[in-house]
């Protein structure tokens, strides 16, 4: 069967503003001269985990499949068939998958060769939607991102995730299983919306986590700035850049689904997609706000370190100023001119109380300078802000 392709991926210039840092985040690209439709998978990789959920208003069935051919009988039924593929698998699996679902080689390339830019591509009787899913994981680098590909047919839906460990689609599965909401009374296009909505909503807990981290860093930068704070701020800024790049492209992809005239998306579902589009705008605003806050924290950190250095230099200046006259007195009395040669040659060297008087004089000079600097308020700036609050 011949395929015609209608690409609805928005132009790059309409998605993101120019940002030099974005060049550090690369999408997948083929080597020059690679034939179109080449898959970047190994032949000896294990097959992916395949779970089929077939449902209608009266029933819902969940099956674990071992081969793509087991899904073929469900493609001609009136129920909604959702094949959830966890993992990218191997070449043989995708060759068989392409025969069962009549997938275009370019569609397979977008699904398997990850990561791709979030986009929407329309074929004769299929709609391929590429989205990014983000979740939190334990460890020093908590942000986990992966591509989720959605292939929408007349009465079936394929979702392909890179990894099975991290997943934000469980609420959708539970709604189908326990018949919650209206999902089992709707068609396959509503299922595609529900999955996209779950992916977009998965951004919010991630951003809330980064918001809490930025609040803690703000206190550290103001009261106890250190190079570790700067490293954390830079790491968060890089993660926020990744989130920004993902949500900008996904916002435009959802906008394409709303404006496109594909028969696979009903007018009723386009109304729900508008709500999903509003969520992407909210996520985008939160990302931009946190990016600005991280940039401000960098400036605050530099100012705090500069002020800290100024206070250190001020303290050293006070100490040096106190010891300068003491050094002068010690230097003068260290010359040791012979008093027998001339009465002008430091007669104090022969005084009985000369040494205690000299030490007392040096102590009085230091005490006078310390009192002068204290009267001028120079020592008040060395008190930490939290100490001042406790004393008040």
């Amino acid at each position: 069967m011949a395929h015609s392709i209608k690409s609805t991926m928005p132009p790059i210039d309409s998605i993101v503003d120019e940002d030099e840092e974005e060049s550090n985040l690369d999408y997948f690209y083929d080597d020059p001269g690679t034939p179109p439709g080449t898959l970047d998978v190994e032949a000896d990789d294990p097959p992916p985990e395949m779970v089929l959920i077939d449902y209608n208003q009266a029933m819902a069935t969940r099956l674990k499949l071992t081969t793509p051919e087991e899904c073929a009988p469900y493609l001609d039924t009136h129920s909604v068939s959702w094949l959830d593929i966890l993992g990218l698998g191997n070449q043989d699996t995708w060759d068989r998958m392409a025969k069962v679902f009549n997938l275009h080689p370019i569609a397979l390339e977008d699904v398997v060769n990850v990561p791709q830019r979030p986009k929407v591509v329309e074929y004769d009787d299929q709609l391929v939607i590429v989205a990014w899913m983000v979740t939190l994981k334990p460890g020093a680098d908590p942000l986990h991102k992966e591509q989720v590909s959605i292939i929408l047919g007349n009465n079936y839906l394929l979702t392909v995730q890179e990894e099975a460990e991290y997943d934000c689609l469980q609420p959708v599965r539970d709604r189908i299983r326990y018949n919650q909401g209206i999902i089992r009374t709707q068609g396959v296009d509503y299922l595609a919306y529900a999955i996209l909505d779950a992916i977009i909503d998965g951004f919010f807990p991630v951003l809330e986590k980064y918001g809490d981290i930025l609040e803690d860093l703000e206190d550290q930068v103001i009261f106890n700035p250190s190079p570790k704070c700067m490293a954390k701020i830079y790491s968060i800024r890089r993660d926020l850049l990744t989130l920004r790049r993902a949500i900008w492209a996904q916002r435009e992809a959802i906008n394409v689904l709303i404006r496109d005239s594909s028969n696979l998306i009903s007018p009723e579902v386009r109304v729900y997609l508008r709500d999903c589009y509003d969520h992407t705008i909210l996520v985008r605003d939160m990302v931009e706000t946190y990016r600005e806050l991280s940039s401000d924290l960098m400036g605050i950190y530099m100012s705090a370190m500069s002020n800290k250095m100024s206070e250190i230099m001020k303290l050293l200046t006070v100490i040096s100023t106190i010891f300068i006259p003491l050094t002068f007195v010690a230097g003068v009395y260290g010359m040791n001119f012979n008093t027998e040669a001339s009465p002008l040659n430091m007669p104090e060297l022969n005084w009985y109380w000369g040494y205690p008087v000299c030490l007392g004089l040096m102590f009085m000079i230091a005490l006078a300078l310390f009192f002068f600097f204290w009267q001028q308020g120079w020592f008040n700036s060395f008190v930490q802000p939290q100490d001042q609050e406790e004393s008040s």
Side-chain angles (χ1 to χ4, degrees):
M1 177 180 177
H3 292 266
S4 64
I5 305 175
K6 177 183 177 183
S7 176
T8 52
M9 183 180 69
I12 295 178
D13 294 339
S14 67
I15 297 177
V16 292
D17 299 329
E18 294 181 359
D19 196 329
E20 295 179 357
E21 293 178 284
E22 291 200 28
S23 60
N24 296 326
L25 298 173
D26 297 328
Y27 292 113
F28 179 89
Y29 64 92
D30 294 318
D31 294 332
T34 302
T38 302
L39 303 185
D40 185 35
V41 290
E42 300 295 336
D44 56 350
D45 285 345
E49 180 182 350
M50 293 180 288
V51 178
L52 176 66
I53 300 178
D54 187 78
Y55 67 90
N56 55 29
Q57 188 173 0
M59 65 85 187
T61 303
R62 182 180 183 273
L63 301 172
K64 280 193 174 183
L65 307 182
T66 56
T67 63
E69 289 77 10
E70 297 179 40
C71 189
Y74 295 90
L75 301 182
D76 297 329
T77 62
H78 295 288
S79 58
V80 176
S81 300
W82 174 18
L83 180 60
D84 192 12
I85 303 174
L86 305 176
L88 299 180
N90 50 42
Q91 182 75 43
D92 178 67
T93 300
W94 288 109
D95 290 341
R96 298 160 66 182
M97 196 78 68
K99 293 179 181 179
V100 173
F101 292 94
N102 194 27
L103 300 178
H104 193 281
I106 300 300
L108 281 180
E109 185 178 14
D110 289 338
V111 170
V112 177
N113 297 345
V114 297
Q116 300 286 332
R117 189 179 193 87
K119 57 185 176 180
V120 176
V121 182
E122 183 180 356
Y123 296 85
D124 283 335
D125 53 355
Q126 293 176 341
L127 202 63
V128 178
I129 306 169
V130 176
W132 273 20
M133 178 179 66
V134 295
T135 53
L136 293 172
K137 64 179 181 180
D141 186 13
L143 181 63
H144 173 78
K145 57 185 182 299
E146 66 175 275
Q147 175 178 313
V148 178
S149 304
I150 303 172
I151 301 178
L152 174 62
N154 290 319
N155 61 341
Y156 64 88
L157 185 77
L158 275 72
T159 55
V160 182
Q161 303 181 49
E162 293 184 52
E163 303 178 18
E165 182 179 359
Y166 301 98
D167 181 22
C168 66
L169 303 183
Q170 189 58 42
V172 180
R173 301 187 188 99
D174 292 339
R175 285 159 59 187
I176 296 174
R177 179 182 179 183
Y178 299 109
N179 196 15
Q180 297 174 346
I182 62 174
I183 190 168
R184 280 174 46 176
T185 63
Q186 301 295 315
V188 69
D189 53 348
Y190 185 89
L191 174 61
Y193 148 74
I195 293 174
L196 282 174
D197 187 61
I199 292 174
I200 297 301
D201 289 345
F203 280 77
F204 288 106
V206 174
L207 289 173
E208 289 176 0
K209 178 66 175 179
Y210 280 106
D212 295 338
I213 295 176
L214 287 173
E215 289 183 3
D216 295 337
L217 283 175
E218 187 176 9
D219 295 336
Q220 296 179 23
V221 166
I222 294 176
F223 298 113
N224 188 25
S226 65
K228 291 183 179 180
C229 294
M230 191 63 174
K232 290 181 180 179
I233 295 173
Y234 180 77
S235 176
I236 291 176
R237 182 174 173 80
R238 295 285 297 177
D239 290 344
L240 291 173
L241 179 62
T242 301
L243 295 173
R244 175 181 182 265
R245 190 175 188 184
I247 200 61
W248 271 83
Q250 289 184 183
R251 185 196 67 167
E252 294 301 324
I254 294 176
N255 189 33
V256 167
L257 292 174
I258 297 173
R259 294 184 289 104
D260 193 31
S261 59
S262 174
N263 296 327
L264 297 174
I265 304 293
S266 64
E268 293 80 7
V269 172
R270 296 183 197 277
V271 177
Y272 291 103
L273 286 173
R274 294 193 191 103
D275 179 69
C276 189
Y277 181 82
D278 292 339
H279 290 178
T280 62
I281 294 178
L282 179 58
V283 171
R284 183 203 63 182
D285 292 342
M286 293 178 64
V287 171
E288 294 296 339
T289 299
Y290 290 152
R291 274 175 53 83
E292 292 178 4
L293 180 57
S294 63
S295 299
D296 293 341
L297 286 180
M298 286 185 175
I300 294 174
Y301 171 81
M302 299 303 296
S303 299
M305 293 302 294
S306 178
N307 292 337
K308 189 175 181 179
M309 182 62 67
S310 298
E311 295 300 327
I312 293 175
M313 295 303 298
K314 185 176 180 180
L315 177 61
L316 294 177
T317 301
V318 170
I319 295 174
S320 300
T321 304
I322 292 176
F323 276 90
I324 284 175
L326 307 185
T327 305
F328 173 76
V329 173
V332 169
Y333 280 91
M335 291 186 293
N336 296 328
F337 283 99
N338 188 4
T339 55
E340 296 179 357
S342 171
L344 301 177
N345 290 345
M346 302 178 69
E348 298 88 354
L349 295 178
N350 295 325
W351 288 0
Y352 182 84
W353 297 102
Y355 184 64
V357 169
C358 183
L359 291 179
L361 176 64
M362 296 170 66
F363 176 77
M364 293 300 297
I365 292 175
L367 187 62
L369 289 174
F370 183 87
F371 180 76
F372 173 76
F373 291 138
W374 177 74
Q375 287 282 59
Q376 297 296 319
W378 282 29
F379 294 104
N380 294 337
S381 59
F382 300 137
V383 180
Q384 296 295 330
Q386 55 266 28
D387 295 338
Q388 293 180 353
E389 294 178 359
E390 292 176 359
S391 61
S392 60

